[in-house]
Amino acid sequence: MEIKPKWIFCLLLCTNIIINLDQGIIPAAIQQIEESLELTSEQLGFLGSQVYGGVTLVCLFGGKLFLHFNSKMIVIFSYLGMISSLTLFPLNYGASWPFYIFRFLTGCSKAPMMIYFPVWVDNFGGEQKTIWITILQGVIPLGIFVGYSVSSVISSLWEWQAAFYLQVIMLTACATIFIIFVRNKDFDIKKSTKQKIGSKSVNEDQQKKSLLGQNEKNTYWQMMKELYSIKLWLCCTIVISILYFIVTGIQFWMTDYMIKEMHQEKQTVNIVFAIVSITAPVFGCVTGGLIAQKLGGYQRSKSLYVCVLYCSLCCVSAAPVPFTETFWFGALCLWFLLFFGGAIVPPLMGIMLSSVPKHLKAFANSSTTMFQNLFGFLPAPSIYGFLMERYNSQVAVFALMYYSFVGLFVMLLAVYFRRMQTNKKIGFEEVFTQQQDSKSSVLQDEENFNITVRVLQYGDTPLITSLTPNIEGQIPNYDNQETINQED
């Protein structure tokens, strides 16, 4: 039975929502989990970091698996691994180490889907792939929000384990549909792309070069040395990692803090925090993208100053949180913090992408993702739990909120390095050309395949890389363009 790409995309979309439910389930039921599993705050924070640790580890080599093994089979194992780990996690073991292992395995199982789903959309999405990728990534916070909301209801009526079992049931349904109805040729990008290129008579040397996906003269360490010498990219990567550190800490711990320190009822906290966590970053991201577009695009110098403004407003919003016991004022501060944090993401990601040479874009995107996991997502729950256990929750929240000032300082450094660059170019050239002849079409297909393979080789979650063919010709390289006299 043939299944159309749009139905496969719907299945991947549902899966992407469901695999993120547990990221919302745990924060909503954190007090019950802490009592049920008999974990300290430090242990609970370490538990929250295990998922990100698993994702980071698999991202080191996970993309290469898709180059050597059947893509559908890898995703099937990913489904089965996540179903097993989610089923075994809520059981009572009488010790803490099994819980760490199963959360780590959950992250390991989730990573192949995170890597491959956007790549599949990039190859099978056709003219709709840009909007499909946007939707695919946009449902990640939706999944966390749904998990948080469902867990809030379930934990108030039954045991918190029921929320995990509900996630297992839904994920099992998706896995069953995937195994039965999705065919290899409709899912494996290697087969489909080779056939597409081969049908247009690309010679063997071109195909071989495309399959290699990288310049042999540039080794991994040479590329890393070149990339990390780009100070603007490094500063922006640090800022986005700090942002994700703060957001992850808020997501994991703020419910517990509001209940205990702001003396608010659990039901009220769950409802308000769910609304704040879904509306603020979404509205902020849309607003930030629209403002960047109105200013002429993220390649202009003024985009950096706008990012500094957003960072400053984040700091202003975060500063009162550790010193207030008024729940509604604290919730309002968090809303603005997440709003301006979301607003900084579109221009900052664009600046990072445009600050590196074309041949480093895929590698830079992969390195940024790894940086975000290692210094953003992964340590946030553990460090907060450590400070809470050693001192108190006010100290932990103070460190979390005022870490935003470090981000502001690094953002100012980015402006300084940008001004110190000798080769600058401003202005935005919008080039939308459609290639009509078959030869140009072949070259475009070959380039897209080349980018896809590079992404898989570096084990990245390739949202930005997937969009690179559409925008990389429209943005300047700050380090490699001729000097233009006029500047904003």
Side-chain angles (χ1 to χ4, degrees), residues 6-58:
K6 66 178 181 180
W7 297 115
I8 297 178
F9 172 71
C10 291
L11 177 61
L12 302 187
L13 201 63
C14 293
T15 300
N16 220 28
I17 295 174
I18 295 170
I19 63 176
N20 287 286
L21 292 180
D22 55 299
Q23 297 296 95
I25 290 174
I26 291 181
I30 194 167
Q31 288 187 322
Q32 286 189 8
I33 294 174
E34 189 174 6
E35 296 173 1
S36 175
L37 304 184
E38 298 180 352
L39 300 176
T40 64
S41 298
E42 185 176 353
Q43 290 174 324
L44 194 59
F46 185 62
L47 180 70
S49 297
Q50 294 307 302
V51 173
Y52 304 112
V55 171
T56 303
L57 177 64
V58 173

Side-chain angles (χ1 to χ4, degrees), residues 16 26 45 76 111 149 175 193 226 231 272 298 304 307 311 324 332 352 378 466:
N16 220 28
I26 291 181
I76 288 175
S149 303
T193 314
E226 183 180 358
K231 296 181 178 63
V272 173
Y298 46 76
L304 272 174
C307 289
C311 280
T324 182
L332 183 64
M352 283 192 294
L378 191 151
S466 300

Side-chain angles (χ1 to χ4, degrees), residues 445-458:
D445 289 333
E446 181 188 357
E447 181 184 3
N448 287 340
F449 186 44
N450 185 31
I451 289 172
T452 298
V453 175
R454 289 206 312 270
V455 170
L456 290 177
Q457 285 178 333
Y458 296 133

Side-chain angles (χ1 to χ4, degrees), residues 18 20-30 33 86 143-144 146-152 155 160-167:
I18 295 170
N20 287 286
L21 292 180
D22 55 299
Q23 297 296 95
I25 290 174
I26 291 181
I30 194 167
I33 294 174
L86 290 173
I144 298 173
V146 172
Y148 188 95
S149 303
V150 169
S151 180
S152 301
S155 61
W160 61 271
Q161 289 90 337
F164 276 92
Y165 295 138
L166 178 62
Q167 183 183 10

Side-chain angles (χ1 to χ4, degrees), residues 270-437:
N270 287 340
I271 295 173
V272 173
F273 188 75
I275 295 173
V276 168
S277 62
I278 190 63
T279 58
V282 171
F283 290 158
C285 189
V286 173
T287 303
L290 292 175
I291 291 177
Q293 184 178 1
K294 289 292 184 182
L295 293 175
Y298 46 76
Q299 78 286 352
R300 290 185 177 271
S301 299
K302 64 180 69 174
S303 293
L304 272 174
Y305 295 105
V306 172
C307 289
V308 171
L309 175 62
Y310 291 150
C311 280
S312 302
L313 293 173
C314 282
C315 293
V316 172
S317 302
V321 174
F323 305 106
T324 182
E325 293 185 358
T326 305
F327 169 72
W328 294 106
F329 177 69
L332 183 64
C333 289
L334 286 179
W335 194 94
F336 281 113
L337 172 60
L338 294 176
F339 175 84
F340 292 117
I344 201 176
V345 172
L348 200 61
M349 294 298 287
I351 291 169
M352 283 192 294
L353 180 64
S354 61
S355 65
V356 298
K358 182 181 291 188
H359 68 279
L360 283 177
K361 289 186 187 295
F363 183 73
N365 185 45
S366 177
S367 299
T368 298
T369 302
M370 194 64 61
F371 211 101
Q372 292 166 2
N373 274 282
L374 286 175
F375 301 103
F377 298 117
L378 191 151
S382 297
I383 291 178
Y384 184 102
F386 173 83
L387 293 174
M388 186 175 175
E389 190 70 22
R390 294 293 189 273
Y391 302 98
N392 54 56
S393 56
Q394 285 92 345
V395 171
V397 168
F398 180 88
L400 183 66
M401 295 294 113
Y402 279 78
Y403 192 34
S404 58
F405 286 89
V406 179
L408 176 59
F409 173 74
V410 178
M411 198 70 245
L412 292 173
L413 283 179
V415 174
Y416 171 76
F417 289 131
R418 173 67 182 90
R419 292 176 64 87
M420 293 295 292
Q421 290 175 341
T422 56
N423 295 324
K424 303 173 185 178
K425 180 180 178 182
I426 59 173
F428 190 65
E429 297 178 0
E430 294 184 351
V431 182
F432 296 97
T433 56
Q434 274 190 319
Q435 300 175 340
Q436 300 292 333
D437 58 280

